[in-house]
Amino acid sequence: VKKYIVIIFLTVAFMFSAFNQVPPRNKIKTIVIDAGHGGHDPGCNGGDSKEKNVTLSIALKLGKLIKDSLDDVKVIYTRDDDTFVELYERSAIANRNNADIFISIHCNANKNKDAYGTETYAMGLHKTTGWLDVAKRENASILQESDYEKNYDGFDPTSPEAHIMFSLYQNAYLDQSLVLASKVEDQFREHNRVSRGVKQAGFLVLWKTTMPSILIETGFLSNASERKVLSTESGQKEVALSIFKAVKQYKQLRETSK
Ligand SMILES: [Zn+2]
């Protein structure tokens, strides 16, 4: 009898260890959509447009497209109204809900008013100071949080060295994040936007997520013609549709790959 117990124990133990080695499931069941900024954090501005309003509108439109046409997918928003949510809490929401994809939506701004186009980021080391500047601007949101020194392991958002250090943090989902990011940029091109490409930088909101995660800069609010696209209903719909198509393609790819 003892022998059988040992055999059963070993079989169960083996099954558990085999189970633990299974890579992340290919089925995309839960998507977390993160509208950048909110509440007392307006994000960047251009004309009368505030980033927090543009990102919320695009996020809700994207969520609706997913809910309407992908029956098997659950959509979770990090915010669905004008409230402030800490950056660490946004990734924590995705982790708690075992999300399969995390999408953070933002708008860009630059002192050079001629700058325009879309960019999609994955977590990683920036190749140019321009990429770093985007991450620094987005990460500065934590300065509006009451306890940021505690919640980001002492990270100083004003220090370039701190950005380099933490962007080297290995992310197991980098390859998948880059696949999703390039699909988003491809779709922007298909929808007559100018793509500035797929990039990498150290974004606090992507740092601790445990699934493929991207941050989309949907265009420059500092550029007059792009601001028109981003602040109109039709323009926002187009942006949401582009991201939706990319998500759908990515979902098909994941679910048909071995
Ligand atoms: Zn932003």
Side-chain angles (χ1 to χ4, degrees):
V1 176
K2 242 184 185 176
K3 201 171 127 194
Y4 283 110
I5 291 172
V6 169
I7 288 170
I8 289 167
F9 176 79
L10 288 176
T11 309
V12 170
F14 174 76
M15 280 166 66
F16 263 100
S17 69
F19 177 77
N20 284 334
Q21 283 163 22
V22 170
R25 65 175 181 224
N26 281 343
K27 191 100 182 79
I28 306 286
K29 287 182 180 163
T30 305
I31 298 178
V32 168
I33 303 175
D34 175 47
H37 313 277
H40 64 262
D41 171 16
C44 64
N45 298 305
D48 296 332
S49 300
K50 284 189 184 125
E51 182 182 0
K52 67 171 185 175
N53 299 329
V54 176
T55 60
L56 179 60
S57 180
I58 293 171
L60 295 176
K61 286 174 171 59
L62 171 62
K64 190 175 184 314
L65 283 167
I66 294 173
K67 284 181 194 172
D68 288 350
S69 32
L70 303 174
D71 293 340
D72 53 341
V73 175
K74 185 176 165 192
V75 171
I76 294 170
Y77 299 104
T78 55
R79 68 179 180 99
D80 58 5
D81 57 15
D82 186 17
T83 48
F84 181 76
V85 182
E86 294 87 352
L87 293 187
Y88 72 88
E89 175 59 14
R90 294 167 190 254
S91 51
I93 289 170
N95 293 347
R96 276 204 299 274
N97 288 284
N98 292 315
D100 300 293
I101 304 178
F102 178 81
I103 301 171
S104 189
I105 297 171
H106 289 261
C107 303
N108 225 331
N110 202 294
K111 276 181 212 144
N112 171 13
K113 304 263 184 283
D114 293 333
Y116 65 96
T118 65
E119 303 176 335
T120 302
Y121 284 86
M123 181 76 186
L125 184 62
H126 52 273
K127 288 203 178 106
T128 73
T129 51
W131 304 8
L132 171 63
D133 289 344
V134 174
K136 273 163 116 178
R137 184 174 53 74
E138 300 294 7
N139 291 340
S141 283
I142 68 168
L143 297 173
Q144 313 209 32
E145 300 178 13
S146 48
D147 260 344
Y148 86 84
E149 293 94 338
K150 264 195 226 159
N151 293 323
Y152 301 92
D153 304 351
F155 176 79
D156 173 6
T158 61
S159 152
E161 291 78 19
H163 275 90
I164 291 170
M165 296 266 289
F166 106 102
S167 64
L168 292 170
Y169 194 86
Q170 285 298 310
N171 186 317
Y173 302 94
L174 175 60
D175 289 349
Q176 288 297 317
S177 303
L178 291 172
V179 171
L180 176 59
S182 59
K183 294 209 175 295
V184 171
E185 288 301 313
D186 286 348
Q187 282 302 322
F188 282 142
R189 273 185 221 104
E190 294 268 325
H191 286 253
N192 300 316
R193 297 292 303 282
V194 171
S195 167
R196 296 161 64 96
V198 171
K199 303 182 174 185
Q200 285 179 262
F203 288 91
L204 285 171
V205 74
L206 304 179
W207 181 23
K208 289 194 173 168
T209 56
T210 53
M211 73 284 311
S213 307
I214 56 170
L215 183 143
I216 306 172
E217 294 287 351
T218 54
F220 286 79
L221 282 180
S222 48
N223 178 275
S225 62
E226 226 165 26
R227 182 163 66 240
K228 247 183 213 166
V229 173
L230 292 170
S231 45
T232 58
E233 187 72 9
S234 58
Q236 292 167 355
K237 271 190 182 160
E238 199 79 1
V239 172
L241 183 64
S242 307
I243 303 170
F244 168 70
K245 285 185 180 172
V247 167
K248 199 175 158 187
Q249 279 183 1
Y250 176 76
K251 182 177 185 292
Q252 279 164 355
L253 181 78
R254 273 273 293 275
E255 292 178 356
T256 51
S257 66
K258 282 174 200 165

